[in-house]
């Protein structure tokens, strides 16, 4: 069935380090792909999205490219900050709903 | 920020009691969703609504019911709460699935069933 798989966390990085969080999905058609971020005590916020193959979503220094051939949508950032500490969720749409990965916690140390 | 509120924000209840969580939106969006968030599971869809009085089940609907009598309100009811329903519950809204719009999330309700 439909699924989204993310790398398990937590991911711990020092400030200014390079970030990659892997995400793969099952391919049924051509879903839109999303990254959501959840800061402590808050709901999820959309970080970026891509709606077709080879699209690159970007926001706040984060990027992810829709790779149809590898069914992946990995999240990257060149230089993380302490304020990026949060839980990141990859998701794909499936007609009326979103299918979420299990989330990856990122902790950035000063 | 999308106008979504959830009430209550925190609730502790005993096993076997009924519980109703409320989601209220001011965006006039057609689609509304209830998710639960548990460690290691991400978010799982409980029920969703595609219009007033139009609802359907998600992947983890057992033990839950919903109602939507007005565009702005979507209620989630646990008829007889169990400890396995201890979770954080999120409401979300979406304007249109045809445009593949993102969903906007409320702040969440932390429910503890003792």
């Amino acid at each position: 069935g439909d699924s989204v798989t993310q790398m398990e966390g937590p991911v711990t990085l020092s400030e200014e380090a390079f970030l990659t969080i892997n995400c793969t999905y099952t391919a049924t058609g051509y879903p839109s792909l999303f990254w959501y971020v959840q800061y402590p005590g808050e709901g999820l916020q959309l970080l970026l999205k891509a709606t077709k193959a080879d699209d690159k979503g970007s926001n706040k220094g984060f990027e992810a490219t829709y790779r149809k051939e590898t069914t992946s949508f990995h999240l990257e950032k060149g230089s993380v900050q302490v304020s990026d500490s949060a839980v990141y969720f990859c998701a794909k749409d499936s007609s009326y709903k979103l299918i979420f990965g299990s989330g990856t916690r990122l902790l950035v140390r000063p | 920020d999308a106008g979504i509120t959830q009430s209550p924000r925190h609730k502790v209840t005993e096993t076997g009691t009924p519980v109703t969580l409320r989601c209220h939106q001011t965006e006039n969006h057609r689609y509304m969703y209830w998710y639960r968030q548990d460690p290691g599971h991400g978010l799982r869809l409980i029920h969703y609504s595609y219009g007033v009085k139009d609802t359907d089940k998600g992947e983890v609907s057992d033990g839950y019911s919903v109602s939507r009598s007005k565009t702005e309100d979507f209620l989630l009811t646990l008829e007889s709460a169990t400890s396995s329903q201890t979770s954080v519950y999120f409401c979300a809204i979406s304007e249109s699935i045809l445009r593949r719009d993102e969903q906007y999330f409320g702040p969440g309700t932390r429910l503890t069933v003792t």
Side-chain angles (χ1 to χ4, degrees), chain A residues 2 30-34 91-95 97-99, chain B residues 100:
Chain A
D2 269 339
Y30 300 95
S32 289
L33 301 174
F34 306 85
K92 59 170 275 191
D93 72 349
S94 177
S95 61
K97 62 184 181 183
L98 292 178
I99 306 292
Chain B
R100 291 184 161 177

Side-chain angles (χ1 to χ4, degrees), chain B residues 6-92:
Chain B
Q6 292 184 231
S7 58
R9 293 293 312 280
H10 302 271
K11 185 169 182 67
V12 180
T13 192
E14 294 183 348
T15 298
T17 60
V19 177
T20 296
L21 309 182
R22 179 182 184 237
C23 177
H24 179 78
Q25 60 144 329
T26 58
E27 305 296 322
N28 202 36
H29 283 2
R30 178 179 175 185
Y31 297 88
M32 299 186 74
Y33 307 81
W34 276 108
Y35 293 90
R36 60 178 289 173
Q37 182 180 25
D38 304 290
H41 291 280
L43 273 76
R44 293 180 291 175
L45 182 66
I46 304 171
H47 282 281
Y48 70 102
S49 170
Y50 47 96
V52 173
K53 296 193 172 138
D54 293 323
T55 65
D56 206 348
K57 297 179 179 179
E59 61 182 305
V60 290
S61 59
D62 287 349
Y64 302 94
S65 62
V66 290
S67 66
R68 192 167 177 202
S69 59
K70 298 184 290 185
T71 298
E72 57 266 34
D73 289 326
F74 192 34
L75 304 180
L76 177 71
T77 298
L78 291 65
E79 301 290 348
S80 177
T82 67
S83 58
S84 64
Q85 294 175 311
T86 292
S87 187
V88 180
Y89 291 85
F90 287 99
C91 175

